[in-house]
Amino acid sequence: MITEFEKHVTDAIVSFYAGDYGALLDYLDENVIWYGPRAGEQIIGKDALLENYRAQDTALRYNVSGISTRLLTHGPSNYLMVASYRIWVDRPDGRREHAQRMIISGQRMRDRDGQVIWRCPFIHVTNLPPTRAKTRPPASAPAPAEVMPVRRLSFPGPDRVTVYLREDSIRYIVGGKKVLCEVHTDRDVYPVRMLLKDIEPLLPDYYYRCHASYIVNLRCVLAISGREVILTDGTRLPIPAKRYHEIKADIDKWMADGK
C-alpha cells in the first residue's frame, strides 16, 4: 500500500508539472537545495526556486504520467525517496518526451506552534540519457496519412448481446465468476461472457496482465506502489506483492519505450 509520504510526493509532482507549484513549494524547507535536471544546476532556497520557475518560458506545457515511488530509507524523523516518471514537454518545435527521476528527502520538524510537520531539505532531479528521448511533431500538426483507424473489439455479453468497444477506450478489465468479466471503459462498465485468458490475446500491446484477475491499460497508469497500480482517474488495482519488482520493471520498460 502506498504510504502517506509517497502519496503526497506523487500529488505534488503532478500538480507541479501542471503549473500549480503550491503543493510542492509548501512541502519544501525554506533553505531547500534543488539540484538539476541540467548538469551543475543548483538552486538554494524556496524563494529562489519559485523565482526561477516563474522566469521560465510560461508558453511551455508539461504532462507527467507513470509515476512510481520507492522509499530508500525511512525512520521516525527522516526518509529518502525516489520517484520515477515520464514527462512530455510541448515546445514550438514539437513534443519532447523523456524519463525523469526525482530523489527527495524528508525531515520531521515542528512548526512555531509546536505541531509536528514534515519538510523537504533536498531534491535532486535527473533526466535519463538523451538516447532515451524522442521528439514528436507538435500537437497541431496534421496526422500522417498512414495512421490506421482505431479498431473496435467485439465482446459477447449476457442475453446474446454483442458489445463493440474501441480498443483504446478500455481502462481495465476485471475477471469475475465463471466466464463473466467486467470491461471498464472511460464511460461505463460492460459485462462480457469471456475468460481473461481469452480476452488478453485480443488486446493491443499496451494492455498488461498485472494480476490474475486484472488487465490494465498502461496508458492509464499514473503510479505504482508495492501492492497496487494507480490509474489517472484514481482507480486502484491490486498487484501481487511477490510480483512487484517484475511488474514495475515491465511498466518501466513500456514507459521508457514511449509507446
Side-chain angles (χ1 to χ4, degrees):
M1 183 175 182
I2 192 167
T3 66
E4 178 184 354
F5 304 119
E6 292 170 292
K7 183 179 186 306
H8 185 93
V9 167
T10 297
D11 292 344
I13 290 173
V14 172
S15 299
F16 182 80
Y17 284 110
D20 179 6
Y21 304 145
L24 183 61
L25 289 174
D26 288 347
Y27 195 57
L28 300 181
D29 183 69
E30 293 296 331
N31 298 311
V32 63
I33 301 175
W34 179 294
Y35 288 101
R38 291 185 293 272
E41 181 178 14
Q42 176 179 311
I43 303 172
I44 299 177
K46 185 160 63 174
D47 291 340
L49 181 64
L50 180 57
E51 182 179 351
N52 176 76
Y53 275 93
R54 283 177 173 169
Q56 290 188 11
D57 186 355
T58 56
L60 298 182
R61 293 190 305 157
Y62 298 85
N63 289 283
V64 63
S65 70
I67 300 178
S68 63
T69 57
R70 181 163 59 96
L71 282 171
L72 302 176
T73 61
H74 182 207
S77 60
N78 57 69
Y79 69 81
L80 187 65
M81 181 192 312
V82 59
S84 304
Y85 47 91
R86 191 160 190 82
I87 187 169
W88 287 259
V89 185
D90 288 330
R91 297 177 177 272
D93 61 344
R95 170 173 286 191
R96 184 163 296 277
E97 307 176 22
H98 60 270
Q100 197 169 75
R101 287 192 176 89
M102 183 181 289
I103 299 175
I104 307 170
S105 66
Q107 186 173 341
R108 187 174 182 267
M109 303 178 179
R110 291 187 181 272
D111 62 16
R112 295 177 181 178
D113 298 325
Q115 299 296 317
V116 173
I117 57 173
W118 286 85
R119 289 292 180 264
C120 173
F122 172 84
I123 290 183
H124 188 186
V125 182
T126 55
N127 294 330
L128 288 183
T131 53
R132 304 291 290 276
K134 297 185 178 182
T135 301
R136 293 182 178 176
S140 58
E146 67 272 18
V147 173
M148 299 298 292
V150 178
R151 295 185 305 157
R152 287 186 179 270
L153 304 177
S154 64
F155 299 97
D159 302 323
R160 298 184 180 180
V161 172
T162 299
V163 181
Y164 299 96
L165 301 174
R166 284 175 56 102
E167 64 179 6
D168 61 350
S169 70
I170 300 170
R171 299 184 68 82
Y172 63 96
I173 304 172
V174 185
K177 295 181 179 179
K178 298 182 180 179
V179 294
L180 191 63
C181 293
E182 289 184 349
V183 179
H184 292 248
T185 70
D186 298 327
R187 298 183 177 181
D188 214 335
V189 180
Y190 299 90
V192 300
R193 301 192 66 79
M194 292 181 69
L195 295 170
L196 280 184
K197 70 179 183 67
D198 297 323
I199 295 176
E200 196 171 6
L202 304 177
L203 301 171
D205 62 359
Y206 52 84
Y207 285 90
Y208 182 73
R209 188 80 172 265
C210 64
H211 186 281
S213 299
Y214 291 87
I215 296 175
V216 63
N217 182 343
L218 293 177
R219 294 178 175 176
C220 298
V221 171
L222 173 66
I224 182 172
S225 71
R227 294 187 179 273
E228 60 190 2
V229 170
I230 305 167
L231 306 190
T232 52
D233 65 353
T235 301
R236 296 171 181 265
L237 307 181
I239 61 173
K242 292 182 179 179
R243 289 189 58 211
Y244 166 72
H245 294 291
E246 171 197 344
I247 292 171
K248 183 180 181 301
D250 289 342
I251 293 178
D252 282 350
K253 182 178 185 304
W254 186 89
M255 293 288 180
D257 287 343
K259 295 181 180 179

